[in-house]
Amino acid sequence: MSRKHRAIVMAAIGTIVVGVSPASAQTAEPISDGLVKIGVLNDQSGIYADMAGPGSTIAAQMAVEDFGGKVLGKPVEIVSGDHQNKPDVGSAVVNRWIDVEQVDTIVDLPTSSVMLAVQEIGRQKNRLIIASTGGSSDFTGKFCSPVGIHWTYDTYGLAVGTGQPLASRGPWFFLTADYAFGHALERDTAHAVTKAGGKVAGGVRHPQGNHDFSSFLLQAQSSGAKIIGIANSGADTVNAIKQAHEFGITASGLQLAGLYMHITDVHAIGLKQAQGLLMTQAFYWDLNDETRAWSKRFYERHKAMPTMGQAGVYSSIIHYLKAIEAAGTDEAQAVARKMKELPVNDFFAKSGKVREDGRMVHDLYVLEVKKPEESREPWDYLKLIRTIPGDEAFRPLSESECPLVSVGQ
């Protein structure tokens, strides 16, 4: 990676990664220190704790247990850390994990600014980074890495699933979280809307972890827009939607588009206020017998149904361990290559494929939040509207900015 490219990466993520030095070349060998250690890094107690947090750690533990607890005859261990949604904190945790605790791979990674910072550490120190809950499509775009894999969803897929179908219903106004994920989600959705013939009336950005959305919602109402694209996540999404109802925004005729939502968000909002919202998901617990069986096992431990990110953590770790077995080593680049060779077939994805840019391609689902009277049991919140085939759900390689992509795609 050139010095210029690295500077661009650091500017984009808005932080300086300290204590990082280029890793020396490693040769393929069996399990490096007699242990495969997987670090689950996410928000454990803040605004994204429900969609990732302790639930992602539980999903990771389930994956290791279901795999048998060992790979190539060596034990597999899960550790977890809280990045507090801060790139400097996340970077410090990961540097310690790699340099001191010999962690082999980092998974989950909500908050795209943290995800992109950790991507750079993984590139320099030759550690596999598997993002599940982090969303910026730049992870496998201009900031792609030979040891970076994006598993569950990204902002491009969300834009295709939710932005395109609503493009023609009127001008859009974006309510956007002011960090890497929100910027990417607004950009990708605005592109999808205009490409489909829609218009964007304007937008406003708010700080992460915001509590009062009244002034932003009033700006949206006065903009002449018909749709408010909520380009944030977690508690920010929950608060924005609740306040839009409290302030009469939805009663005035504006439609809300929750561009990035989880089933835990619907649970927090309630069906009365969330009904009718469209959601693009990589997973829903009630899709079929396989998703129901795994989700009920997860529920027994976590007392909440899994989000798509938590299900993705499980799926990605199973695939990672299979790749170690197939590669005969836990060396990051060898495992990454094998992850790209092996198909993904589990309850999470059928005929999934990790591309050369690191994007795991699989179907996405557009679901609608049910009316209260349609719900038959707890957590029965969504109904399937359509399935988006994987080759339509994610940015085609022909449009990729990833330098790993072969010329002529």
Side-chain angles (χ1 to χ4, degrees), residues 103-369:
V103 170
D104 297 289
T105 189
I106 317 297
V107 302
D108 201 16
L109 295 167
T111 306
S112 291
S113 53
V114 179
M115 177 182 72
L116 293 172
V118 172
Q119 169 94 315
E120 181 63 9
I121 297 174
R123 184 198 320 274
Q124 295 184 32
K125 296 192 172 184
N126 196 41
R127 289 297 190 275
L128 196 58
I129 309 300
I130 309 174
S132 181
T133 317
S136 173
S137 61
D138 291 336
F139 184 81
T140 54
K142 57 186 176 182
F143 301 135
C144 71
S145 163
V147 289
I149 293 176
H150 213 169
W151 200 260
T152 302
Y153 78 100
D154 63 24
T155 52
Y156 183 96
L158 298 179
V160 169
T162 307
Q164 282 185 358
L166 298 176
S168 62
R169 297 192 184 181
W172 282 60
F173 185 95
F174 287 97
L175 183 60
T176 303
D178 194 10
Y179 76 108
F181 168 75
H183 301 170
L185 184 54
E186 178 184 335
R187 177 200 66 204
D188 290 344
T189 305
H191 177 74
V193 167
T194 54
K195 186 177 179 180
K199 296 181 179 180
V200 175
V204 64
R205 291 180 174 177
H206 66 81
Q208 189 179 30
N210 192 64
H211 296 288
D212 184 2
F213 287 89
S214 57
S215 63
F216 306 127
L217 290 167
L218 289 173
Q219 286 184 58
Q221 190 175 38
S222 63
S223 70
K226 298 296 183 183
I227 295 178
I228 303 177
I230 302 176
N232 54 25
S233 56
D236 284 341
T237 297
V238 171
N239 289 332
I241 292 175
K242 283 185 173 182
Q243 290 174 31
H245 284 275
E246 291 170 8
F247 301 146
I249 301 297
T250 52
S252 71
L254 269 73
Q255 182 175 355
L256 303 180
L259 299 174
Y260 178 53
M261 293 185 64
H262 291 270
I263 190 172
T264 47
D265 299 327
V266 177
H267 186 76
I269 296 167
L271 291 181
K272 184 176 180 180
Q273 292 186 333
Q275 61 181 303
L277 285 172
L278 290 181
M279 299 170 59
T280 302
Q281 299 284 285
F283 168 87
Y284 176 50
W285 75 268
D286 201 20
L287 283 175
N288 54 56
D289 289 343
E290 285 185 277
T291 59
R292 283 187 285 272
W294 183 84
S295 298
K296 288 176 181 178
R297 289 175 52 216
F298 178 90
Y299 182 88
E300 289 174 0
R301 296 194 183 198
H302 192 52
K303 304 309 176 188
M305 283 299 180
T307 64
M308 62 176 173
Q310 291 161 347
V313 166
Y314 177 100
S315 175
S316 65
I317 289 176
I318 291 289
H319 194 70
Y320 168 67
L321 296 175
K322 288 180 178 178
I324 291 177
E325 277 195 337
T329 177
D330 64 351
E331 192 275 321
Q333 294 199 36
V335 176
R337 287 192 295 270
K338 195 58 68 172
M339 289 182 76
K340 294 173 182 179
E341 292 175 13
L342 298 174
V344 181
N345 282 298
D346 57 17
F347 73 89
F348 179 83
K350 300 299 181 187
S351 301
K353 170 68 176 176
V354 182
R355 299 189 312 203
E356 59 191 285
D357 61 348
R359 173 69 259 170
M360 201 278 271
V361 176
H362 54 89
D363 294 348
L364 295 180
Y365 307 97
V366 178
L367 301 110
E368 182 179 332
V369 179

